[in-house]
Amino acid sequence: MKTVGIDVGGTNADGVLLEGESLLAKAKIPVDHDNLSGVIIALLEKLLGDNAGQVDQVHLSSTLCTNAIVNGEMDEVGMLVQAGPGLNPEFLDCGENLVFLDGAIDHRGGLVKSPSAALVDAALADFSAKGLQSIGVVTKFSHRNPQVEQDLARQAASFPHVTCGHNLSGLPNFPRRVYTTWINAGLKTRFQQFSEAIRTGVKRLGITAPLSVLKADGGTIPLERAEAVPCESVLSGPSASVMGALALTPREKDFVVLDIGGTTTDIGLFADGVPLMEPYGVTIMGRPTLIRALNTRSVGLGGDSEVKWTEDGYVIGPQRHGVPAAFSKGKITGATPSDAMVVLNRMEGNRERAAEALRLLLPNNPPEETAREVLLSFGQNIKRAVEQMVEDVFARPVYTVSALLERQRLEPTEIIAVGGPAEALRSELAAAFDLPCEVPLNYEVANAIGAARTRPTLSASLYANSSDGTLSIPEIGLHEEIGRSYGMKDAEESLAAAIRHLAAQAGLEGELPPVEFVEREEMNTVRGFSATGKVIALKAQVKPGLAGV
Amino acid sequence: MTKYMPRAVRKTGLILFPAFDWCITPSHPEREERLLYTRDQIVEEGLEDVDGIEFFNPELAEYADIDRVHLCAPSSKALLTESHLISAGGAIRAAKAVMEKEVERAFAIVRPPGHHAMQTVFGDRGFCIANIEAIMVEHLRRHYGVRRIAIVDTDCHHGDGTQDIFYNDPDLLFISLHQDGRTLYPGSGFQNEAGGPAAQGYTINLPLPPGTGEEGFSMVTDRVVLPLLDAFKPELVLNSAGQDNHYSDPLTNMNFTAQGYARLNKAINPDICVLEGGYSIEGALPYTNLGIILAMAGLDTSNVREPDYDPRRFVQSALMNGQIEGICQNALDIFAARKKWDTGVRRGEEVVERKSIYYDTTGFGVDQVRHYKLCPDCPGYTEVEASGAGELMHGFTVPFNACSKCQQAARDAFARAAKAKGPREQVVLQDRVADIYETV
Ligand SMILES: [Zn+2]
Ligand SMILES: [Zn+2]
């Protein structure tokens, strides 16, 4: 099986061609953010040459959607939002066209009151008069009862695009649902243009293989399916590096992945060889969302970070110094970790200039000594960030006595480092963590390899209340009646069917990776003094992992 | 950090621990499902993402934390499950978060509750075994050196356990707002219950008529609770935030609302809240808890209402208003006449109090005699003898604010009692000054 992985970064785009696990070819070209599809096609051409027809699949990790959000280039979205009682929803900040509807759905998914038709009609007429193309509809508790969102979507069917909150995620968290829906609807036009340009370009090159894009959760999704959920491709960069590290050094234990770049270091955590997920989803430009994501953290520490000397020792980052003295010409204005690496002969560069930069920090200290201290401090800073992350994971809320008593702190046994300065920092990282630190072969194209080796991910959530007689699986828009005897076994069957449905919808053929059931909750409901039924909550997922080769 | 989520005015900690795998019995009000809908509402509201609201998991309280407060027969280890240690540990975690300045305010939404658990504990009373609020108070005193504390108990049931534990403590002002004991469990909390001999007027009961709503609660808050807190000047104000005054609660007969709870909390402005009762698990708790959290954090509470809320339903009669006015006046008089220990008394004098305590969950009674040993220099130590359920507890308690003479007197009395110990009798020295719990 021949797979292509493309990773579009801030300055360069990398491509790899893999045959199974082995690297057949790699290529790199500079990125033009105004023409990402052109960049990708050019990279494919450079990478594949005449072999385009023999490729079996193409995986892309693209910054298109992330950039559109960061640069404020999303479509204006007409938002219909039913908040019901709770936090005053006025804080929700998603464009000029946000209309709050009356009525409510309660915490069990009971419809308290539908929004009044007059309000909905007036809002849609206004959106239409403004020429809006994309509509987002969200209600509180739509993961328990999607009916109001579905009704609203039907009423808005004349608009070219409608996003419903419940289709994007079955997780609770209303503000995140609103922002996710808004982002998804706002990316629609741009992603569609991108997708069309890619398809045209690929055809011209003679590539017939299926196309997928990488998601923030360390999985892939077919390009065509992504047109309906473009938000899923947001912030896929860190997931590419985490999956790349896994592909280069697969192992089944607790470990830490560091992707060390010029300005930042991305940190990922693995428990028993499986990457940890965010509890809800990514936060992008300050907006919390339900876009499923690996638990990664970006800290302002990189090769080009600014280094200062203070009474408390070295302060590294989070500001970027600019091009390090060792790699530049002209006046030397400050020091960077890269200069320290060059002074210690761990990296190519102008050693004289690097030494001079370090002398700016501590004029009376030999530059070699300053260099060693700077890198040690770099390692210590990374270690503190990792410890904080491990602590945050440990501190996530739990709701049962058994979960509280049984929870365990992640205990990393190894550090995997990738990225430009990784090799030069290896001994300091190992010393800081007091753990072995491995820098895998081909680490400079780890992200592209990660994109190539990643397999599809799927997830669905179920909420059943047998005393009300309702079942809801929001990701597939299911809301139906159930009997009193509905139990956990039934829930597993319903969810497995939902996952199959989602797989078919995504155009995934062949055998699925194993479906895993997580976060079981089962409770008897009692009214008066007699049992009336059960509340069952369950999630199913095909978790991120490496595709078979 | 972000303008996309609200920002709390006061950094507020939440210990949200619904214990989904613990119940008294499967159909008991204190069952797994109790905080399910509250958890669902809080999570759906996105409070985890609100700037300035922090979530903490509970810790496990230690048995020493329990033994500092209670005299358990046969022992705290035998009576308490892990769930009780977690519930008490949740309250302690809330106190720690505030004292160590992780947050400015904290709310322990934990179960089971605790305010019916008295000093002597023979089993489960009114869904409580360990008085989690009292355990937190003595933990605060022991580990953070706090002295003067006010507890405002806004559960619909009289906080008879908390009252019992701090009855003779003039450094603790206990104010309980509750449905009149003639109409509701536990049948106590009348205005003549005003404190032990060393703390007269430091227990203030406000028994309210069935049907009291927002207007009545506002009246007692404004006329009694706030002026008393002002006068007492506590270092910390705690709220036993029971939510069974709600109009939809199945066990009680009051008319209070989510809006009312939010306003009450804003007025009292407690440093730490601990959930007590509240059994309208779908119609009230999701909204009352949310209202309290938002009020603590200084966030907008105007949109926190029950789906069927209609303020016109809750107008109080003039007759009821008059009745509540009278209760307020009595309370003010009792507090105005408050008096700590009497410096004129002779050491060794005592005041005796007899009590019959009913344990409703399994159904047995305990007879108790408590001797308040008077002292001219401090509240004095107490000796308690309680028997029931085949156990006999004979305890000597030295309060945290005792003088050294009383501490020595209690030790001597304990040694004598230990020597004369009967076959079924357990003799205990509970010395809160030295933080010792010794049992023979
Ligand atoms: Zn109560
Ligand atoms: Zn004394």
Side-chain angles (χ1 to χ4, degrees):
Chain A
M1 170 102 94
K2 284 196 172 115
T3 310
V4 169
I6 301 281
D7 176 61
V8 180
T11 33
N12 292 307
D14 288 304
V16 294
L17 172 63
L18 302 184
E19 164 107 62
E21 287 181 30
S22 52
L23 181 62
L24 296 185
K26 54 185 177 183
K28 182 192 282 284
I29 62 170
V31 167
D32 170 6
H33 287 285
D34 296 325
N35 181 17
L36 281 179
S37 55
V39 167
I40 291 169
I41 297 302
L43 179 58
L44 282 170
E45 198 164 7
K46 186 174 174 191
L47 181 71
L48 299 176
D50 299 334
N51 303 320
Q54 293 154 31
V55 171
D56 297 301
Q57 54 185 10
V58 177
H59 289 175
L60 311 169
S61 165
S62 158
T63 51
L64 179 97
C65 288
T66 313
N67 289 345
I69 297 170
V70 171
N71 300 326
E73 294 165 347
M74 303 192 329
D75 298 340
E76 267 298 314
V77 180
M79 293 291 291
L80 295 176
V81 173
Q82 184 195 56
L87 263 182
N88 185 336
E90 298 290 336
F91 70 89
L92 290 167
D93 182 352
C94 37
E96 304 298 309
N97 297 293
L98 166 61
V99 174
F100 289 114
L101 304 175
D102 59 342
I105 294 170
D106 72 19
H107 42 75
R108 268 168 71 153
L111 179 60
V112 177
K113 186 180 168 301
S114 291
S116 51
L119 265 177
V120 177
D121 291 344
L124 289 175
D126 178 51
F127 296 162
S128 173
K130 285 175 173 157
L132 301 187
Q133 302 287 303
S134 281
I135 303 297
V137 299
V138 185
T139 74
K140 199 173 276 180
F141 291 110
S142 64
H143 62 307
R144 297 279 162 88
N145 182 351
Q147 283 174 315
V148 171
E149 284 186 5
Q150 286 165 341
D151 286 346
L152 291 168
R154 267 191 293 276
Q155 292 173 66
S158 62
F159 289 83
H161 175 73
V162 181
T163 295
C164 285
H166 69 270
N167 287 131
L168 299 176
S169 168
L171 295 185
N173 199 317
F174 171 69
R176 283 179 182 262
R177 190 176 308 121
V178 171
Y179 289 129
T180 312
T181 304
W182 175 54
I183 287 172
N184 193 66
L187 291 171
K188 177 75 184 171
T189 311
R190 200 159 278 265
F191 193 84
Q192 193 132 20
Q193 286 164 357
F194 169 79
S195 174
E196 274 161 23
I198 293 282
R199 270 202 296 272
T200 313
V202 158
K203 204 181 214 173
R204 186 171 54 74
L205 294 180
I207 297 175
T208 51
L211 305 169
S212 294
V213 293
L214 199 69
K215 302 189 291 179
D217 73 352
T220 58
I221 181 174
L223 181 65
E224 243 168 85
R225 170 69 189 145
E227 286 179 23
V229 284
C231 72
E232 298 250 31
S233 72
V234 161
L235 286 183
S236 59
S239 96
S241 70
V242 167
M243 297 310 288
L246 181 65
L248 293 170
T249 57
R251 53 202 67 208
E252 289 181 356
K253 53 184 179 183
D254 293 1
F255 62 97
V256 177
V257 168
L258 304 173
D259 181 359
I260 308 168
T263 327
T264 56
T265 295
D266 289 341
I267 306 169
L269 300 177
F270 283 76
D272 296 329
V274 179
L276 293 189
M277 308 291 290
E278 283 286 345
Y280 292 101
V282 300
T283 296
I284 178 155
M285 290 291 283
R287 301 163 182 100
T289 75
L290 292 174
I291 301 167
R292 249 169 85 88
L294 299 182
N295 180 28
T296 59
R297 189 164 296 177
S298 198
V299 291
L301 284 169
D304 305 343
S305 294
E306 188 171 79
V307 183
K308 284 187 191 141
W309 169 258
T310 70
E311 281 175 5
D312 303 324
Y314 296 95
V315 176
I316 307 175
Q319 298 90 352
R320 183 186 149 88
H321 169 71
V323 183
F327 314 135
S328 63
K329 299 195 171 86
K331 190 167 158 49
I332 297 174
T333 54
T336 65
S338 294
D339 294 314
M341 297 173 208
V342 170
V343 163
L344 296 176
N345 289 320
R346 301 203 194 153
M347 201 180 252
E348 302 263 326
N350 186 327
R351 205 160 165 264
E352 287 306 305
R353 288 177 56 83
E356 202 181 321
L358 294 188
R359 260 185 230 109
L360 288 180
L361 288 177
L362 286 171
N364 302 324
N365 218 26
E368 290 77 11
E369 204 174 308
T370 306
R372 269 189 290 276
E373 288 166 4
V374 166
L375 297 190
L376 275 175
S377 166
F378 192 103
Q380 289 298 341
N381 286 358
I382 300 246
K383 187 194 179 203
R384 270 194 294 279
V386 169
E387 279 174 344
Q388 185 58 52
M389 213 173 150
V390 168
E391 183 54 37
D392 290 349
V393 169
F394 181 73
R396 283 179 190 169
V398 295
Y399 301 123
T400 60
V401 173
S402 57
L404 185 76
L405 298 177
E406 285 159 19
R407 80 205 157 116
Q408 280 178 349
R409 206 179 292 270
L410 196 78
E411 299 217 3
T413 55
E414 192 174 1
I415 310 298
I416 311 294
V418 300
E423 183 59 50
L425 279 164
R426 190 150 63 102
S427 59
E428 279 76 12
L429 291 170
F433 284 90
D434 196 16
L435 289 175
C437 174
E438 181 170 341
V439 177
L441 217 59
N442 294 319
Y443 67 84
E444 73 289 352
V445 285
N447 289 20
I449 291 173
R453 290 288 313 279
T454 297
R455 70 186 189 195
T457 49
L458 293 165
S459 64
S461 354
L462 172 145
Y463 179 78
N465 187 325
S466 64
S467 78
D468 296 348
T470 55
L471 164 68
S472 144
I473 302 180
E475 290 88 345
I476 57 167
L478 179 95
H479 187 68
E480 63 181 27
E481 289 184 10
I482 50 169
R484 273 287 300 274
S485 61
Y486 191 90
M488 193 52 95
K489 270 269 154 276
D490 303 301
E492 287 184 7
E493 276 169 30
S494 305
L495 259 186
I499 293 278
R500 284 194 299 274
H501 176 98
L502 286 170
Q505 191 181 41
L508 298 174
E509 289 153 17
E511 207 173 313
L512 277 178
V515 175
E516 186 188 43
F517 294 106
V518 291
E519 294 180 43
R520 272 167 215 277
E521 275 182 11
E522 181 173 7
M523 246 168 281
N524 293 322
T525 56
V526 176
R527 295 299 168 265
F529 282 94
S530 41
T532 53
K534 272 183 197 316
V535 168
I536 293 175
L538 184 65
K539 294 189 178 68
Q541 62 179 16
V542 173
K543 63 187 176 193
L546 299 175
V549 286
Chain B
M1 276 200 316
T2 149
K3 65 174 180 126
Y4 296 96
M5 288 300 291
R7 179 193 295 259
V9 174
R10 287 180 295 271
K11 208 170 173 192
T12 299
L14 280 188
I15 295 87
L16 173 61
F17 194 74
F20 287 147
D21 50 355
W22 183 83
C23 65
I24 289 181
T25 62
S27 63
H28 194 280
E30 203 44 78
R31 63 179 180 274
E32 295 93 335
E33 186 194 4
R34 182 172 166 229
L35 292 175
L36 173 61
Y37 311 106
T38 295
R39 191 276 314 256
D40 287 352
Q41 187 79 35
I42 287 174
V43 170
E44 173 69 354
E45 293 294 343
L47 291 194
E48 285 168 275
D49 297 316
V50 170
D51 221 355
I53 293 187
E54 304 273 330
F55 282 67
F56 301 99
N57 282 316
E59 295 172 355
L60 265 77
E62 292 176 21
Y63 286 105
D65 290 310
I66 315 296
D67 292 337
R68 193 178 294 123
V69 170
H70 291 298
L71 301 169
C72 294
S75 71
S76 53
K77 282 198 178 71
L79 289 181
L80 270 57
T81 66
E82 277 156 341
S83 306
H84 297 104
L85 295 179
I86 292 171
S87 180
I92 289 173
R93 185 68 187 88
K96 183 174 162 189
V98 170
M99 296 315 291
E100 298 187 359
K101 300 205 167 14
E102 292 171 277
V103 291
E104 291 170 67
R105 303 272 187 274
F107 185 8
I109 306 179
V110 296
R111 52 182 285 270
H115 75 150
H116 296 306
M118 301 200 170
Q119 187 194 13
T120 56
V121 176
F122 286 72
D124 190 302
R125 267 194 95 237
F127 318 166
C128 311
I129 293 182
N131 194 313
I132 58 178
E133 202 125 44
I135 290 165
M136 176 173 81
V137 165
E138 294 302 341
H139 185 93
L140 278 163
R141 286 172 162 171
R142 180 76 211 157
H143 293 280
Y144 298 99
V146 181
R147 189 176 177 96
R148 288 170 76 75
I149 293 176
I151 298 180
V152 184
D153 187 325
T154 51
D155 189 280
C156 189
H157 301 93
H158 175 227
D160 56 347
T162 314
Q163 169 173 311
D164 177 76
I165 292 166
F166 298 113
Y167 205 53
N168 202 37
D169 182 351
D171 285 317
L172 192 131
L173 175 64
F174 178 67
I175 306 175
S176 180
L177 285 64
H178 49 264
Q179 183 177 328
D180 193 318
R182 286 169 297 192
T183 61
L184 188 68
Y185 180 88
S188 56
F190 302 103
Q191 292 197 284
N192 62 351
E193 302 161 29
Q200 280 293 312
Y202 289 87
T203 292
I204 301 291
N205 280 304
L206 295 156
L208 301 172
T212 301
E214 293 181 21
E215 211 180 329
F217 279 94
S218 288
M219 190 190 288
V220 291
T221 308
D222 295 342
R223 294 192 188 189
V224 180
V225 181
L226 298 181
L228 264 54
L229 291 177
D230 269 351
F232 182 70
K233 296 193 179 28
E235 293 161 63
L236 288 174
V237 176
L238 316 182
N239 178 204
S240 294
Q243 294 163 28
D244 37 13
N245 286 299
H246 195 265
Y247 63 83
S248 64
D249 196 276
L251 306 185
T252 64
N253 317 93
M254 301 295 252
N255 248 338
F256 210 34
T257 62
Q259 278 292 306
Y261 268 108
R263 214 174 309 140
L264 178 67
N265 185 280
K266 248 179 246 177
I268 298 174
N269 193 17
D271 298 281
I272 304 163
C273 287
V274 175
L275 176 66
E276 286 289 343
Y279 300 95
S280 172
I281 62 177
E282 286 181 70
L285 263 51
Y287 310 104
T288 47
N289 274 309
L290 182 64
I292 292 171
I293 296 165
L294 298 185
M296 291 185 89
L299 290 162
D300 184 353
T301 57
S302 62
N303 194 44
V304 182
R305 328 165 230 98
E306 304 77 358
D308 63 350
Y309 176 66
D310 178 356
R312 287 167 302 185
R313 274 170 51 197
F314 303 108
V315 179
Q316 273 178 204
S317 69
L319 181 71
M320 189 185 284
N321 284 343
Q323 216 177 332
I324 297 172
E325 275 175 22
I327 294 161
C328 290
Q329 193 51 54
N330 285 345
L332 291 174
D333 293 345
I334 292 166
F335 185 70
R338 70 190 177 280
K339 171 160 128 324
K340 295 191 183 184
W341 59 87
D342 192 337
T343 50
V345 298
R346 208 161 36 78
R347 197 180 297 281
E349 274 184 87
E350 62 174 41
V351 172
V352 180
E353 168 202 274
R354 286 170 202 283
K355 251 186 191 177
S356 288
I357 302 167
Y358 185 64
Y359 285 78
D360 56 304
T361 306
T362 34
F364 62 89
V366 168
D367 290 314
Q368 177 174 305
V369 183
R370 185 188 264 153
H371 307 259
Y372 294 104
K373 306 288 185 177
L374 305 186
C375 170
D377 306 319
C378 83
Y381 79 92
T382 56
E383 176 181 0
V384 63
E385 287 169 288
S387 62
E391 305 281 344
L392 176 57
M393 167 62 74
H394 190 176
F396 299 84
T397 298
V398 181
F400 87 107
N401 45 10
C403 73
S404 56
K405 284 179 187 154
C406 288
Q407 187 186 27
Q408 192 54 51
R411 288 180 176 191
D412 295 344
F414 165 71
R416 283 194 299 276
K419 220 173 270 172
K421 186 176 103 70
R424 287 168 35 252
E425 186 182 352
Q426 183 180 176
V427 184
V428 177
L429 175 68
Q430 181 180 55
D431 182 345
R432 292 179 188 155
V433 173
D435 204 26
I436 286 171
Y437 188 86
E438 207 178 317
T439 173
V440 181

